[in-house]
Amino acid sequence: MIITVTLNPAIDMAYELDTLQLDSTNRIKKVEKTAGGKGLNVSRVLHQIGDDMMALGFAGGHTGKAIVEQLTDLGIQNDFTTIDGETRNCISVMHDGQQTELLEKGPTISQSEQNEFINTFIKHAQHADVIVLSGSLSDGLPTNFYAQLLERVSQHKVVVDTSNQALLECLKGAVKPFAIKPNLDELSHLFNRKVEITELPTLLVENEWLKEIPLVCVSLGGDGAMVKYNHNVYRVRIPKITVVSPTGSGDSVVAGLASGLQRGYAIEEWLQHAMVLGMLNAQQSKTGYVNLDNYNDLKEKITVEKIG
Ligand code: ADP
């Protein structure tokens, strides 16, 4: 089983307008409301590809209840820790060919809520092989919260997809993640300088933090990925596709990495599996959705070359 963790989920509201009139009333023609947050995108993709999984996180108030209901309606197993605060709404407005985002910060998690979550996490981890920790931390959680969770499940394979201080704490922590999936921006933030594709083959095997992580998958959008697995470096190239919305593609790759790990795929098939899910998500307007009809066609066009 795969466990996903979403500490700061949201109800994502996508509004569609022809034109956004500032300082005026805008009547919305089309609204879509989905349970959002990186870990929930991962969960939906895992569920669609038929992998056994359980979604954990914090949920509170009406929005929290709506998230849990939506997951349950989709048939996604979940056990969210109930909190006093209200889970956030995030609004994205498509207008004038642009996308404007209004993101609430989310609730503050108390110490007793943290303790309750950790107990739930440890309970379910006993039945899991792979764990996915993704997204930012909610207010009230220490920046080493993911690093603390890693220490509680040192026998498990954990995929971490986060950024900034939360990622740094995991890389420096006593128990390392099994896999991480930064993009170039996230790596650049980590190293406080612009990281280029050309330096990745050396950086991935020589950097003191990265070399300790068995699988580092640097996703490169339409350019595929550069991956380090143990001591080898692989260049993953993908075919050109028509992109509808790449939002959530990184999360879909994370779902593929966790799934391939759970299924015991060899590295080539594992990376093809992860990339194809990212691409299938990019071909959809919805976030964290994949149409598996095109899976085989696309997969055989993805090449994995060992370059170091
Ligand atoms: P993130 O959302 O984390 O920044 P990326 O943008 O690197 O992640 O995208 C993750 C994966 O999704 C890519 O490795 C690729 O498989 C797929 N993908 C994203 N954008 C495109 C695109 N424009 N064309 C084809 N595939 C894409």
Side-chain angles (χ1 to χ4, degrees), residues 12-294:
D12 283 337
M13 292 194 267
Y15 290 160
E16 242 181 80
L17 283 172
D18 293 332
T19 299
L20 179 66
Q21 310 276 0
L22 294 178
D23 202 21
S24 171
T25 303
N26 292 271
R27 297 199 185 277
I28 312 290
K29 286 196 262 176
K30 198 172 160 206
V31 190
E32 201 146 334
K33 295 184 186 180
T34 26
K38 288 168 76 66
L40 292 186
N41 297 336
V42 175
S43 307
R44 267 198 299 272
V45 173
L46 287 173
H47 181 65
Q48 286 164 83
I49 62 175
D51 284 18
D52 184 22
M53 51 89 42
M54 161 78 71
L56 306 181
F58 294 109
H62 292 298
T63 35
K65 213 163 149 228
I67 286 177
V68 169
E69 275 170 17
Q70 200 178 100
L71 294 177
T72 307
D73 286 349
L74 288 171
I76 296 178
Q77 287 192 83
N78 62 81
D79 189 1
F80 275 68
T81 301
T82 306
I83 52 170
D84 284 341
E86 175 94 18
T87 295
R88 63 193 174 140
N89 287 301
C90 289
I91 300 173
S92 116
V93 190
M94 305 293 296
H95 62 94
D96 311 282
Q98 295 173 311
Q99 185 168 340
T100 300
E101 310 238 343
L102 302 165
L103 308 180
E104 289 179 25
K105 193 155 66 102
T108 301
I109 310 298
S110 70
Q111 187 59 53
S112 65
E113 290 164 348
Q114 285 180 44
N115 296 344
E116 198 184 326
F117 171 81
I118 289 174
N119 289 338
T120 306
F121 176 74
I122 292 170
K123 180 180 85 183
H124 290 295
Q126 287 167 12
H127 311 288
D129 313 291
V130 177
I131 296 171
V132 180
L133 306 176
S134 52
S136 52
L137 303 170
S138 328
D139 268 14
L141 298 176
T143 54
N144 71 349
F145 192 68
Y146 282 144
Q148 283 185 37
L149 294 184
L150 280 169
E151 288 187 18
R152 302 297 186 123
V153 289
S154 56
Q155 303 305 311
H156 290 69
K157 292 194 163 140
V158 184
V159 183
V160 174
D161 183 23
T162 188
S163 49
N164 301 323
Q165 194 61 27
L167 175 60
L168 190 59
E169 301 264 10
C170 291
L171 299 182
K172 286 178 163 177
V175 177
K176 311 284 180 204
F178 183 85
I180 58 172
K181 191 223 68 66
N183 57 27
L184 277 180
D185 277 348
E186 285 159 351
L187 274 188
S188 300
H189 275 291
L190 194 65
F191 294 118
N192 245 323
R193 64 176 179 85
K194 188 162 169 35
V195 174
E196 307 282 353
I197 296 186
T198 46
E199 64 178 297
L200 287 178
T202 319
L203 185 75
L204 294 180
V205 289
E206 288 186 0
N207 175 265
E208 59 172 323
W209 296 326
L210 302 181
K211 71 181 184 193
E212 300 288 323
I213 313 294
L215 181 82
V216 181
C217 174
V218 183
S219 66
L220 304 168
D223 215 1
M226 186 85 77
V227 180
K228 180 199 77 116
Y229 183 47
N230 295 327
H231 303 295
N232 296 317
V233 179
Y234 299 85
R235 180 68 168 99
V236 188
R237 294 186 195 278
I238 61 176
K240 283 248 162 314
I241 54 165
T242 305
V243 172
V244 179
S245 167
T247 310
S249 286
D251 304 331
S252 306
V253 170
V254 169
L257 293 176
S259 163
L261 191 52
Q262 158 93 1
R263 295 180 187 190
Y265 283 170
I267 187 70
E268 286 80 9
E269 184 170 23
W270 188 6
L271 298 179
Q272 283 176 321
H273 182 57
M275 282 294 105
V276 81
L277 293 174
M279 296 172 74
L280 290 173
N281 176 80
Q283 289 181 320
Q284 300 288 314
S285 59
K286 287 195 194 169
T287 305
Y289 280 89
V290 289
N291 175 357
L292 295 172
D293 294 350
N294 300 330

